[in-house]
Amino acid sequence: DIKDKIYEIREDFPILKRKMCDHPLVYLDNSATTLKPKSMIDTVVNYYTYLGANAHRGDYEMSAQVDFAYENARKLTKEFIHARRDEEIVFTSGTTESLNILAMTITNTWLHENDVVLSTVAEHASSVLPWLEAGKSKNIKVEYIPLDEQGRVTVDNFKKALHDKVKVVALAQVSNVLGYEAPIKDIVRIAHEHGVKVVVDGAQSIAHLPVDVQDLDVDFFCFSAHKMCGPTGIGVLYGKFDLLEELTPVFFGGESNARFNKCGKVSLKKTPLKYESGTQPIEGALGMAAAMKYINELGKENIHRYELALKHHFLEKIKDVEKVKVYNAEAESGIITFNVYDQGKLIFPQDVASFLNTRGIAVRSGEHCAKLLGEVLKVPGTCRASVYFYNTFEDIDKLVEALKDASFETCLDIFF
Ligand code: PMP
């Protein structure tokens, strides 16, 4: 049980010793990025201290050691999401790059004029903008699966939105604003019955839920290491092997080609190397693998159970605090989306976040990169507290106490 070893766990995270605004740090912005365990940091430092060479290029021992570590990171990643083969794991700079690569290559290779990509208004900009942008050249349309009144994607609404022109569904497994989990497995089954490919944005699910890409049967799954205790600048594009082989990369350069001639006739290497042009973030891949090992040791089921316990603790403590409105009490994740009202009037979420900062509490405020969702929530923005396994029940208590003190007076006072 994570609760029983929480103080040991916190020792693994050096940054938890720092202060913010003279208060012990209460980090509740884990959906933006997570903190890093020492074992991950050491792995990155070790690469620069002892390994140093490029990957897949040298004929000397040090370089072979890098190749081994880098490909071992790929193997670990395969196991982490239960892919069929190592070759299905492409390293990228993160979710955003993975999703852009997919939008560009799928639009170029598979889509035709007036084809439709189905999305939702709850998507992060990185999951919808690449399709809107890539589709311009071919007049591809993006349509939106209507959300239910809570803001969830439902199988029924997905079925209603599906039609002959839909060729791709692109959506998040867990929403970064409301924290709801989409019924991915059912959506994939129905999509496949209609010959539709499914691209899943796993940025918010990878650190918190067990992910089995074979069980979900998703065609593509993207995530970033930094949201799961790994380094920034590295992430994953998972694709079914045959699909990755069929598609063409959008970046070209060193290491991804076997040969080319002066006229531009290129023969590409096989997947995944054909997608990994140029020197990769090698220390990132090794660091991501170290983060995966750390998370595996805790167990994602345990992590998820603990996050929900923290969230329920918050809901329990806040239920009599009328001025705090929670939008997603039923979400099956550690994301808590709320606003604070003073005498019935909304306190601008950024002012609440700035006030919390003065107590050492980090939360996110605004539209959370999901600019279309405002239509559903009917507020200009929200505050978002997002927990992870190193947060404590005391962190939640501090948040609740601070929210009780939030008012127009306290929240605006800090600017003067
Ligand atoms: N999708 C979702 C749902 C996210 O929450 C995020 C990060 N906030 C992204 C995509 C983009 O991830 P990154 O910035 O690591 O590329």
Side-chain angles (χ1 to χ4, degrees), residues 103-317:
M104 285 190 264
T105 183
I106 290 176
T107 302
N108 292 342
T109 319
W110 290 339
L111 302 190
H112 301 102
E113 175 125 352
N114 294 324
D115 279 346
V116 169
V117 175
L118 263 190
S119 177
T120 82
V121 293
E123 294 312 305
H124 189 279
S126 294
S127 172
V128 63
L129 265 183
W131 296 100
L132 287 165
E133 203 48 46
K136 282 179 185 164
S137 59
K138 280 195 170 172
N139 201 23
I140 307 299
K141 297 194 173 59
V142 175
E143 291 178 1
Y144 300 91
I145 305 166
L147 302 177
D148 73 1
E149 61 289 345
Q150 273 190 320
R152 287 179 188 271
V153 182
T154 64
V155 174
D156 270 354
N157 282 349
F158 167 62
K159 280 190 196 154
K160 281 185 208 144
L162 204 52
H163 55 78
D164 284 355
K165 285 286 175 196
V166 174
K167 298 290 152 48
V168 177
V169 186
L171 82 174
Q173 186 172 19
V174 171
S175 154
N176 65 309
V177 185
L178 291 171
Y180 293 132
E181 187 183 345
I184 295 292
K185 197 168 166 176
D186 289 334
I187 287 178
V188 171
R189 185 176 40 77
I190 297 160
H192 286 170
E193 284 165 12
H194 292 79
V196 172
K197 298 281 188 281
V198 183
V199 175
V200 173
D201 170 354
Q204 292 298 341
S205 55
I206 192 68
H208 312 277
L209 300 177
V211 170
D212 182 330
V213 290
Q214 291 188 65
D215 180 53
L216 293 171
D217 200 25
V218 289
D219 299 299
F220 303 97
F221 189 90
C222 306
F223 60 93
S224 306
H226 71 93
K227 298 213 194 250
M228 40 159 282
C229 298
T232 55
I234 177 93
V236 171
L237 186 177
Y238 157 83
K240 286 181 178 164
F241 183 75
D242 293 345
L243 303 181
L244 287 178
E245 278 291 90
E246 201 180 314
L247 293 167
T248 314
V250 292
F251 300 128
F252 295 87
E255 272 314 296
S256 57
N257 67 84
R259 70 184 70 81
F260 66 97
N261 71 12
K262 282 184 190 160
C263 308
K265 190 167 180 318
V266 187
S267 117
L268 291 172
K269 288 186 176 165
K270 285 186 87 68
T271 302
L273 293 187
K274 75 173 185 180
Y275 291 99
E276 294 180 8
S277 276
T279 298
Q280 299 297 301
I282 301 164
E283 85 288 16
L286 310 194
M288 177 164 70
M292 287 172 177
K293 278 190 205 150
Y294 190 92
I295 289 174
N296 283 341
E297 272 166 33
L298 288 178
K300 287 223 203 137
E301 281 93 355
N302 295 333
I303 292 176
H304 193 222
R305 203 176 321 115
Y306 182 69
E307 290 168 345
L308 291 184
L310 289 173
K311 177 175 180 172
H312 290 141
H313 182 65
F314 174 83
L315 293 173
E316 199 45 43
K317 294 209 100 180

Side-chain angles (χ1 to χ4, degrees), residues 314-364:
F314 174 83
L315 293 173
E316 199 45 43
K317 294 209 100 180
I318 209 78
K319 73 175 191 291
D320 300 324
V321 185
E322 265 175 32
K323 64 180 174 177
V324 177
K325 177 172 167 56
V326 178
Y327 295 98
N328 63 343
E330 279 154 42
E332 32 305 87
S333 69
I335 294 177
I336 304 163
T337 309
F338 62 91
N339 268 321
V340 186
Y341 290 79
D342 185 355
Q343 289 158 39
K345 288 206 187 102
L346 176 77
I347 311 180
F348 196 56
Q350 206 168 357
D351 296 335
V352 175
S354 304
F355 167 67
L356 294 175
N357 166 56
T358 64
R359 304 273 181 103
I361 302 171
V363 300
R364 175 85 187 268

